[in-house]
Amino acid sequence: MKKITSLLIAFVAALGAQAQVTADTVSIGAGYANQVWYSLHNGVQGTAPQSDWDIAFDADPMGHAIVINANTLAWKHPGADTSDWATLDTLGLSTWSNQWNGPYWSEGAIGNYPDPLNPFNVDWGVYNPSNHSVTGTALYVVKLANGDYKKLWIQSLIGTTFKFKYANLDGTGLQTATVNKTSFSNRNLCYYSMQNNLAPNREPSTYDWDLVFTTYSTQYPTPHVEAGVLGNINTGVAKCTGISNVSTYKNYQSAMFLDSNNVIGHDWKTGSGSSFTVENSTLYFVNVGGDIYKIVFTAFGGDVNGDYIFTNEVVKSVTGIANTPAANAVMALYPNPAAAGQQCTVVYDLKNTTTKATIMVNDITGKLIYSDNLPFTPGLQQYHLPVAQFTPGTYVVTVLAGRQPALQQQLVLQ
């Protein structure tokens, strides 16, 4: 009875002082099939297929660029203007230069290459300062993810409405479409599928997410597609490398925060296919409204499952939001510290029934040394951790419950 009472006391204490370090897994699926928008405080905010769009228009009231999907290629026809629409050909396409998205949401591949000699040129058209409209003056060839080639003419941007048309290279399959930014309020992008001839509203509100787990195109060291993480327009991210102990490092004051979207990017891992190694001396600080979070990647599943595995720690909170528990699941360890060979009990309550619950134990270097499935029956539960098989040292015990940010506590074995 005394032992159970002690467990309950420890559990109640855990309810009142939630750990600010959580471990989470965000999956974009086998073959990197999806994009997943993620809040550092509230977890996953939305998921959509990577393949359900080809181009996306800048939703900012002053924006005029067009972003292309990671699996889409775009070329501006080097010798044609809009009068050549009917007769456009792709002779010499192999010698044309691809156009690429820049490191900001406002730097789309179409719109990212203006004429430096004309201050009113926006790449695909010319800006009229008298009425603030843009008239299309260029033609593009676009290769879609399914291998189809289309010719594309962004005809105008008047007020908040883009007007454009596209067709097969021989002129068949002509489609004329419009996208109005007001239909995508509080979004970074207005998406459009040239394969399906529709405009899916797929992105959560820009105020609801901080990072998007996705694939994206990069030019360095050579043009290719990578699986990685991009930051929202309202976040600042700092990359810290060469850190000897990423689990204890919190010196965000010395970090340089940048507002480009690819600061996290993809180079925290190396490998290909299903075999990746994660850089264990790199971490990221993310500034969300003054709250500072620390991100440390611990594993990556590659194209088998698209699993990004990482820890998320609050290192500074000015809003109070970061200190408010986002997850319903709670847990406590008893005893802690524990003697080597002594039984350690994990007490947990998943609150809401979930479809999956997992317990993981990592050593101080981040290496996974133990994992098991947990019963996900609602209510107070106990799990006996087999610490007798662990050597003395410091460990991190993590409970993952569905897609909620998981709970994490340090365990010391003496």
Side-chain angles (χ1 to χ4, degrees):
M1 179 63 71
K2 182 177 180 181
K3 182 177 180 180
I4 295 298
T5 301
S6 299
L7 284 170
L8 289 173
I9 292 172
F11 186 74
V12 171
L15 288 174
Q18 291 274 350
Q20 293 184 9
V21 180
T22 64
D24 207 353
T25 298
V26 171
S27 177
I28 63 173
Y32 309 138
N34 301 311
Q35 292 181 289
V36 178
W37 291 268
Y38 180 85
S39 163
L40 290 163
H41 176 64
N42 294 315
V44 172
Q45 297 298 296
T47 301
Q50 178 78 42
S51 62
D52 70 355
W53 69 285
D54 302 300
I55 59 176
F57 301 86
D58 189 349
D60 185 272
M62 303 298 293
H64 51 70
I66 297 98
V67 173
I68 61 173
N69 192 316
N71 300 312
T72 300
L73 296 175
W75 300 264
K76 181 194 288 186
H77 198 295
D81 58 27
T82 57
S83 66
D84 299 306
W85 170 259
T87 58
L88 186 76
D89 63 57
T90 57
L91 185 66
L93 177 64
S94 62
T95 65
W96 300 358
S97 296
N98 293 95
Q99 299 202 174
W100 302 96
N101 299 327
Y104 295 87
W105 296 109
S106 60
E107 293 182 347
I110 300 174
N112 205 23
Y113 298 81
D115 182 351
L117 301 179
N118 183 352
F120 299 114
N121 182 274
V122 298
D123 187 11
W124 60 266
V126 176
Y127 172 71
N128 185 336
S130 64
N131 61 13
H132 306 293
S133 66
V134 181
T135 300
T137 58
L139 299 179
Y140 293 82
V141 172
V142 178
K143 182 182 180 182
L144 309 182
N146 64 1
D148 290 347
Y149 284 83
K150 302 286 185 179
K151 55 183 179 180
L152 172 66
W153 176 4
I154 310 298
Q155 295 174 288
S156 64
L157 170 59
I158 300 175
T160 59
T161 301
F162 286 93
K163 181 181 178 181
F164 58 102
K165 66 179 182 179
Y166 56 97
N168 297 322
L169 297 180
D170 62 4
T172 61
L174 176 65
Q175 297 285 333
T176 299
T178 60
V179 168
N180 194 318
K181 297 181 184 185
T182 59
S183 299
F184 298 85
S185 59
N186 298 327
R187 305 294 193 274
N188 289 346
L189 299 172
C190 314
Y191 295 88
Y192 191 84
S193 171
M194 299 167 70
Q195 298 178 61
N196 301 316
N197 307 320
L198 54 81
N201 197 341
R202 58 196 302 279
E203 180 182 310
S205 169
T206 190
Y207 303 111
D208 291 339
W209 62 278
D210 307 309
L211 306 172
V212 58
F213 294 75
T214 184
T215 53
Y216 69 102
S217 57
T218 177
Q219 300 179 61
Y220 305 102
T222 57
H224 64 291
V225 174
E226 285 280 358
V229 183
L230 302 179
N232 197 350
I233 196 169
N234 56 6
T235 62
V237 182
K239 179 179 181 179
C240 300
T241 60
I243 307 302
S244 59
N245 190 337
V246 295
S247 65
T248 61
Y249 187 85
K250 297 182 181 181
N251 187 15
Y252 65 87
Q253 296 92 338
S254 300
M256 179 179 294
F257 287 85
L258 303 174
D259 59 357
S260 52
N261 64 20
N262 63 352
V263 178
I264 296 179
H266 64 87
D267 59 0
W268 45 271
K269 54 181 171 55
T270 57
S272 62
S274 61
S275 179
F276 281 86
T277 299
V278 172
E279 174 54 60
N280 61 10
S281 62
T282 297
L283 61 86
Y284 300 88
F285 292 114
V286 183
N287 186 336
V288 182
D291 293 335
I292 308 296
Y293 297 81
K294 184 177 78 174
I295 300 293
V296 180
F297 291 95
T298 56
F300 181 65
D303 58 11
V304 171
N305 52 29
D307 284 355
Y308 297 72
I309 303 172
F310 57 96
T311 61
N312 169 12
E313 178 181 0
V314 179
V315 295
K316 176 189 177 185
S317 177
V318 297
T319 66
I321 295 174
N323 284 325
T324 303
N328 289 324
V330 289
M331 55 93 78
L333 305 177
Y334 181 87
N336 189 17
Q342 183 180 16
Q343 178 176 278
C344 179
T345 300
V346 182
V347 185
Y348 63 95
D349 186 347
L350 300 183
K351 297 297 183 180
N352 296 330
T353 301
T354 182
T355 58
K356 182 179 181 181
T358 305
I359 187 168
M360 300 189 304
V361 180
N362 296 76
D363 65 18
I364 199 64
T365 70
K367 180 181 178 181
L368 180 67
I369 64 168
Y370 179 82
S371 66
D372 194 10
N373 293 327
L374 288 176
F376 51 82
T377 304
L380 189 64
Q381 306 292 325
Q382 296 183 39
Y383 180 88
H384 299 302
L385 196 63
V387 295
Q389 61 186 264
F390 304 161
T391 58
T394 301
Y395 298 87
V396 176
V397 180
T398 302
V399 171
L400 291 170
R403 290 190 170 184
Q404 300 182 71
L407 293 178
Q408 185 179 70
Q409 291 191 18
Q410 194 172 82
L411 171 65
V412 177
L413 295 183
Q414 299 174 335

